[in-house]
Amino acid sequence: MFFQTIDILGTIAFAISGVLVAMNKRMDPFGVLIIAFVTAVGGGTLRDIMVGVEPVSWMRNMTFVYVIIGSAIFAVIFRNYLKHLRRSLFLFDTIGIGLYTVIGIETGLVAGLHPIICVALGTMTACFGGVTRDILCNEIPVIFRKEIYATACIVGGFSYFLMRFFLKDENYLFVIAGLVVIVIRLIAVRFQISLPSLYTSEDSDKQ
Protein backbone atom coordinates (compact mmCIF):
# COMPACT_ATOMS: atom_id res chain seq x y z
CA MET A 1 0.00 0.00 0.00
CA PHE A 2 2.88 2.36 0.84
CA PHE A 3 4.59 1.93 -2.53
CA GLN A 4 1.32 2.03 -4.44
CA THR A 5 0.61 5.40 -2.82
CA ILE A 6 4.04 6.70 -3.85
CA ASP A 7 3.54 5.34 -7.36
CA ILE A 8 0.17 7.10 -7.66
CA LEU A 9 1.61 10.39 -6.35
CA GLY A 10 4.43 10.16 -8.88
CA THR A 11 1.93 9.44 -11.63
CA ILE A 12 -0.09 12.53 -10.69
CA ALA A 13 3.02 14.73 -10.61
CA PHE A 14 4.29 13.56 -13.99
CA ALA A 15 0.84 13.67 -15.62
CA ILE A 16 0.43 17.31 -14.57
CA SER A 17 3.92 18.17 -15.79
CA GLY A 18 3.04 16.62 -19.15
CA VAL A 19 -0.16 18.66 -19.34
CA LEU A 20 1.74 21.88 -18.62
CA VAL A 21 4.24 21.23 -21.41
CA ALA A 22 1.50 20.26 -23.86
CA MET A 23 -0.58 23.37 -23.08
CA ASN A 24 2.52 25.51 -23.46
CA LYS A 25 2.84 24.02 -26.96
CA ARG A 26 -0.84 24.85 -27.62
CA MET A 27 -1.86 21.24 -28.30
CA ASP A 28 -5.46 20.12 -28.65
CA PRO A 29 -7.17 18.11 -25.85
CA PHE A 30 -6.15 14.78 -27.40
CA GLY A 31 -2.52 15.88 -27.63
CA VAL A 32 -2.58 17.09 -24.03
CA LEU A 33 -3.91 13.72 -22.83
CA ILE A 34 -1.35 11.75 -24.84
CA ILE A 35 1.57 13.82 -23.51
CA ALA A 36 0.24 13.47 -19.95
CA PHE A 37 -0.03 9.73 -20.44
CA VAL A 38 3.43 9.07 -21.90
CA THR A 39 5.04 11.33 -19.29
CA ALA A 40 3.36 9.46 -16.45
CA VAL A 41 3.90 5.88 -17.62
CA GLY A 42 6.99 6.15 -19.84
CA GLY A 43 9.52 5.49 -17.09
CA GLY A 44 7.45 2.79 -15.45
CA THR A 45 6.95 1.01 -18.75
CA LEU A 46 10.70 0.94 -19.44
CA ARG A 47 11.32 -0.28 -15.88
CA ASP A 48 8.84 -3.15 -16.15
CA ILE A 49 10.15 -4.24 -19.55
CA MET A 50 13.72 -4.31 -18.24
CA VAL A 51 12.85 -6.49 -15.23
CA GLY A 52 10.55 -8.75 -17.26
CA VAL A 53 7.17 -7.73 -15.85
CA GLU A 54 4.46 -8.68 -18.35
CA PRO A 55 2.12 -7.01 -18.96
CA VAL A 56 3.51 -3.75 -17.60
CA SER A 57 2.02 -2.49 -14.31
CA TRP A 58 -0.28 0.23 -15.63
CA MET A 59 -1.94 -2.27 -17.98
CA ARG A 60 -2.78 -4.51 -15.04
CA ASN A 61 -4.13 -1.76 -12.81
CA MET A 62 -6.70 0.64 -14.26
CA THR A 63 -6.22 2.93 -11.27
CA PHE A 64 -3.21 4.48 -13.01
CA VAL A 65 -5.23 5.16 -16.17
CA TYR A 66 -7.98 6.85 -14.17
CA VAL A 67 -5.42 8.85 -12.17
CA ILE A 68 -3.75 10.12 -15.35
CA ILE A 69 -7.04 11.13 -16.94
CA GLY A 70 -8.20 12.79 -13.71
CA SER A 71 -4.89 14.64 -13.29
CA ALA A 72 -5.02 15.86 -16.88
CA ILE A 73 -8.57 17.15 -16.48
CA PHE A 74 -7.65 18.81 -13.17
CA ALA A 75 -4.63 20.57 -14.70
CA VAL A 76 -6.65 21.81 -17.68
CA ILE A 77 -9.55 23.09 -15.55
CA PHE A 78 -7.27 24.87 -13.08
CA ARG A 79 -4.74 26.05 -15.63
CA ASN A 80 -5.49 29.68 -14.74
CA TYR A 81 -4.30 28.98 -11.21
CA LEU A 82 -1.08 27.55 -12.60
CA LYS A 83 -0.08 30.96 -13.91
CA HIS A 84 3.63 30.44 -13.65
CA LEU A 85 3.80 27.47 -16.00
CA ARG A 86 7.56 27.10 -15.95
CA ARG A 87 7.67 27.18 -12.16
CA SER A 88 4.75 24.76 -11.87
CA LEU A 89 6.31 22.42 -14.44
CA PHE A 90 9.60 22.45 -12.55
CA LEU A 91 7.87 21.69 -9.24
CA PHE A 92 5.77 18.77 -10.47
CA ASP A 93 8.64 17.37 -12.53
CA THR A 94 10.93 17.50 -9.49
CA ILE A 95 8.40 15.74 -7.26
CA GLY A 96 7.89 13.15 -9.99
CA ILE A 97 11.56 12.22 -10.35
CA GLY A 98 11.95 11.94 -6.58
CA LEU A 99 9.02 9.56 -6.23
CA TYR A 100 9.79 7.51 -9.32
CA THR A 101 13.44 7.05 -8.33
CA VAL A 102 12.21 5.36 -5.16
CA ILE A 103 9.77 3.14 -7.06
CA GLY A 104 12.48 2.06 -9.51
CA ILE A 105 14.85 1.13 -6.69
CA GLU A 106 12.14 -0.84 -4.90
CA THR A 107 11.37 -2.74 -8.11
CA GLY A 108 15.04 -3.57 -8.52
CA LEU A 109 15.27 -4.85 -4.94
CA VAL A 110 12.22 -7.07 -5.40
CA ALA A 111 13.87 -8.50 -8.54
CA GLY A 112 17.04 -9.22 -6.53
CA LEU A 113 19.26 -6.88 -8.55
CA HIS A 114 22.63 -5.45 -7.49
CA PRO A 115 22.42 -2.05 -5.71
CA ILE A 116 24.16 -0.25 -8.60
CA ILE A 117 21.65 -1.71 -11.05
CA CYS A 118 18.82 -0.71 -8.70
CA VAL A 119 20.07 2.89 -8.73
CA ALA A 120 20.32 2.82 -12.54
CA LEU A 121 16.81 1.38 -12.75
CA GLY A 122 15.49 4.08 -10.43
CA THR A 123 17.16 6.80 -12.48
CA MET A 124 15.75 5.48 -15.75
CA THR A 125 12.29 5.14 -14.20
CA ALA A 126 12.44 8.75 -13.07
CA CYS A 127 13.86 10.26 -16.25
CA PHE A 128 12.48 8.33 -19.21
CA GLY A 129 8.94 9.73 -19.03
CA GLY A 130 10.27 13.29 -19.10
CA VAL A 131 12.62 12.43 -21.96
CA THR A 132 9.73 11.04 -24.01
CA ARG A 133 7.60 14.10 -23.18
CA ASP A 134 10.29 16.54 -24.29
CA ILE A 135 11.07 14.67 -27.50
CA LEU A 136 7.40 14.55 -28.51
CA CYS A 137 7.11 18.28 -27.72
CA ASN A 138 10.21 19.08 -29.78
CA GLU A 139 12.29 20.10 -26.77
CA ILE A 140 15.81 19.13 -25.76
CA PRO A 141 15.24 16.65 -22.88
CA VAL A 142 16.15 18.10 -19.50
CA ILE A 143 18.41 15.11 -18.83
CA PHE A 144 20.64 16.19 -21.73
CA ARG A 145 21.00 19.78 -20.56
CA LYS A 146 23.45 21.13 -18.02
CA GLU A 147 20.84 21.09 -15.26
CA ILE A 148 21.20 18.69 -12.32
CA TYR A 149 18.53 16.10 -13.11
CA ALA A 150 19.63 12.49 -13.45
CA THR A 151 22.51 13.23 -11.08
CA ALA A 152 19.99 14.03 -8.33
CA CYS A 153 18.33 10.64 -8.91
CA ILE A 154 21.67 8.85 -8.73
CA VAL A 155 22.69 10.58 -5.49
CA GLY A 156 19.28 9.89 -3.97
CA GLY A 157 19.53 6.25 -4.98
CA PHE A 158 22.95 5.73 -3.44
CA SER A 159 21.86 7.60 -0.30
CA TYR A 160 19.20 4.92 0.18
CA PHE A 161 21.78 2.13 0.26
CA LEU A 162 24.12 4.12 2.50
CA MET A 163 21.34 4.83 5.00
CA ARG A 164 20.51 1.13 5.23
CA PHE A 165 23.48 0.85 7.61
CA PHE A 166 21.79 3.26 10.02
CA LEU A 167 18.04 2.77 9.51
CA LYS A 168 16.09 -0.46 9.30
CA ASP A 169 12.61 0.82 8.44
CA GLU A 170 12.30 0.50 4.67
CA ASN A 171 9.48 3.05 4.45
CA TYR A 172 11.55 5.76 6.13
CA LEU A 173 14.52 4.91 3.93
CA PHE A 174 12.52 5.32 0.73
CA VAL A 175 10.93 8.59 1.89
CA ILE A 176 14.32 10.06 2.79
CA ALA A 177 15.86 8.92 -0.50
CA GLY A 178 13.03 10.55 -2.45
CA LEU A 179 13.44 13.77 -0.47
CA VAL A 180 17.18 13.76 -1.19
CA VAL A 181 16.42 13.74 -4.92
CA ILE A 182 13.91 16.57 -4.59
CA VAL A 183 16.11 18.73 -2.35
CA ILE A 184 19.19 18.34 -4.57
CA ARG A 185 17.17 19.34 -7.64
CA LEU A 186 15.66 22.35 -5.85
CA ILE A 187 19.02 23.54 -4.53
CA ALA A 188 20.71 23.06 -7.91
CA VAL A 189 18.12 25.18 -9.72
CA ARG A 190 17.87 27.78 -6.94
CA PHE A 191 21.62 28.42 -6.91
CA GLN A 192 22.16 27.62 -10.61
CA ILE A 193 24.44 24.68 -9.92
CA SER A 194 25.21 22.52 -12.94
CA LEU A 195 27.67 19.91 -14.09
CA PRO A 196 30.75 21.24 -15.91
CA SER A 197 30.59 21.20 -19.70
CA LEU A 198 33.07 19.10 -21.67
CA TYR A 199 32.97 21.74 -24.40
CA THR A 200 35.97 24.05 -24.02
CA SER A 201 37.22 27.21 -25.68
CA GLU A 202 39.84 25.11 -27.48
CA ASP A 203 37.05 23.11 -29.11
CA SER A 204 35.52 26.37 -30.31
CA ASP A 205 38.81 27.53 -31.78
CA LYS A 206 39.19 24.28 -33.74
CA GLN A 207 35.84 24.71 -35.50
Side-chain angles (χ1 to χ4, degrees), residues 65-86:
V65 177
Y66 299 143
V67 166
I68 294 170
I69 295 174
S71 299
I73 294 173
F74 171 85
V76 171
I77 292 176
F78 294 99
R79 61 184 181 277
N80 291 331
Y81 294 95
L82 300 172
K83 295 179 181 178
H84 306 289
L85 288 181
R86 294 183 66 86

Side-chain angles (χ1 to χ4, degrees), residues 1-16 39-40 43-44 47 64 67 71 90-108 118-119 121-127 149 152-154 156-157 160 171-183 185:
M1 187 64 183
F2 173 77
F3 288 106
Q4 185 176 16
T5 300
I6 292 181
D7 208 355
I8 289 175
L9 291 175
T11 300
I12 293 172
F14 268 138
I16 292 176
T39 305
R47 174 198 67 214
F64 293 101
V67 166
S71 299
F90 163 72
L91 177 61
F92 285 109
D93 199 47
T94 299
I95 294 172
I97 65 172
L99 296 174
Y100 267 29
T101 297
V102 167
I103 292 299
I105 292 173
E106 191 268 343
T107 302
C118 289
V119 174
L121 190 64
T123 302
M124 286 185 282
T125 303
C127 298
Y149 195 81
C153 302
I154 294 171
Y160 165 81
N171 293 345
Y172 283 122
L173 285 172
F174 281 116
V175 169
I176 294 173
L179 288 174
V180 168
V181 177
I182 293 171
V183 170
R185 175 91 170 117

Side-chain angles (χ1 to χ4, degrees), residues 90 146-149 151-152 180-195:
F90 163 72
K146 290 178 63 178
E147 293 183 27
I148 300 293
Y149 195 81
T151 306
V180 168
V181 177
I182 293 171
V183 170
I184 290 176
R185 175 91 170 117
L186 291 173
I187 292 175
V189 172
R190 174 64 180 82
F191 296 100
Q192 298 182 341
I193 301 172
S194 62
L195 295 176

